[in-house]
Amino acid sequence: MAIDFLEHGISYIRWSLLIISADTITLTLLLFLSLLITPMAAYVFTVIISYFLLISTVIPYVLIVLFWLLGFRDLTRYSRRYLIGFIGSVITTSSYFINIAYMGYLMANELTGNALIPQPIMLEPLILTYNKYFIVFSLYLPLPIFASLILGVLGSVLSMLALYRLGGDFNVTRTRISALISIVGILTIEAPLIGGLLISIGTALLTLNLGKILSELSKVESY
């Protein structure tokens, strides 16, 4: 039945959103703590955050990408109206693999004593501009990270637009609001403390509100 695709798709997406929310909350908390301490300690936090980004990229995002793809695939099987979400999930997956390939390249280069990367390409993989009130990403990023970031933002926004449409189709206004909060967070990710907080809130609310749609579907099936 078509409605089975809808239920499975929403369930997969909820799992993905749950992992995103937990991961983003942890990173945002680390960034917030770095605002409350000395510049030297903030540097230590920056190093910790760099390693955290590597771990969070390799481990939970495998599940995020898998659930995201499966979820929007099933939503598209239910209705072509959600095709934009599947396209977004494919773009996000491309972003993920670019990031993984680059991280693997950096690790291999580290193990070989910087033999793989020519000197002109030796750019810092992550730069945080720190002051008393804000932490922002510098635009000075290696090309693979920059490409991954742009594709990730584009793919995520397209997928969130599909969830916004889903909320409208089932008349769940809170789902639409949650999707909009997530979109604003994604678009402001250059200021990760602000963007991370909005993404954390938006994805957590989306997880709950998509559950309400599932509950409504269960009621319909019971009649």
Side-chain angles (χ1 to χ4, degrees):
M1 294 177 61
I3 198 169
D4 290 336
F5 287 127
L6 178 61
E7 291 178 336
H8 293 157
I10 292 176
S11 295
Y12 284 132
I13 290 170
R14 289 185 74 212
W15 276 110
S16 184
L17 288 169
L18 184 63
I19 300 171
I20 292 172
S21 183
D23 198 52
T24 309
I25 287 172
T26 304
L27 178 57
T28 304
L29 180 61
L30 287 173
L31 289 170
F32 177 72
L33 289 174
S34 71
L35 290 175
L36 305 178
I37 55 182
T38 64
M40 181 60 191
Y43 173 77
V44 174
F45 263 102
T46 299
V47 174
I48 294 173
I49 289 167
S50 297
Y51 281 100
F52 175 78
L53 285 173
L54 177 61
I55 295 170
S56 68
T57 296
V58 173
I59 302 174
Y61 274 81
V62 173
L63 298 176
I64 290 173
V65 168
L66 178 61
F67 289 142
W68 209 239
L69 272 173
L70 292 175
F72 283 103
R73 179 204 64 181
D74 286 350
L75 281 189
T76 303
R77 287 177 175 178
Y78 168 74
S79 172
R80 300 286 289 181
R81 282 177 53 77
Y82 307 118
L83 178 61
I84 186 176
F86 181 68
I87 293 173
S89 69
V90 171
I91 294 174
T92 303
T93 302
S94 301
S95 165
Y96 167 77
F97 280 110
I98 290 174
N99 205 16
I100 286 295
Y102 183 67
M103 291 296 181
Y105 190 58
L106 289 180
M107 291 177 67
N109 183 68
E110 185 72 21
L111 292 174
T112 57
N114 296 331
L116 300 179
I117 300 180
Q119 188 64 32
I121 309 180
M122 286 292 291
L123 304 178
E124 294 185 42
L126 174 66
I127 300 174
L128 295 178
T129 302
Y130 171 85
N131 61 40
K132 185 176 180 181
Y133 301 105
F134 295 104
I135 297 177
V136 297
F137 281 118
S138 169
L139 294 178
Y140 179 65
L141 293 172
L143 182 59
I145 294 292
F146 183 74
S148 175
L149 178 63
I150 295 300
L151 289 176
V153 168
L154 175 61
S156 298
V157 168
L158 290 177
S159 297
M160 287 299 170
L161 288 175
L163 296 180
Y164 179 88
R165 178 173 291 179
L166 179 68
D169 290 345
F170 287 89
N171 199 29
V172 182
T173 303
R174 283 174 293 184
T175 298
R176 303 177 78 179
I177 294 173
S178 303
L180 286 177
I181 293 173
S182 299
I183 289 173
V184 174
I186 293 165
L187 294 177
T188 56
I189 196 60
E190 187 186 347
L193 189 59
I194 298 172
L197 180 61
L198 291 174
I199 292 172
S200 300
I201 294 171
T203 52
L205 291 175
L206 266 175
T207 304
L208 295 174
N209 294 325
L210 288 175
K212 295 183 184 300
I213 294 178
L214 282 178
S215 298
E216 292 300 320
L217 290 175
S218 299
K219 292 177 182 178
V220 171
E221 288 183 318
S222 64
Y223 287 113

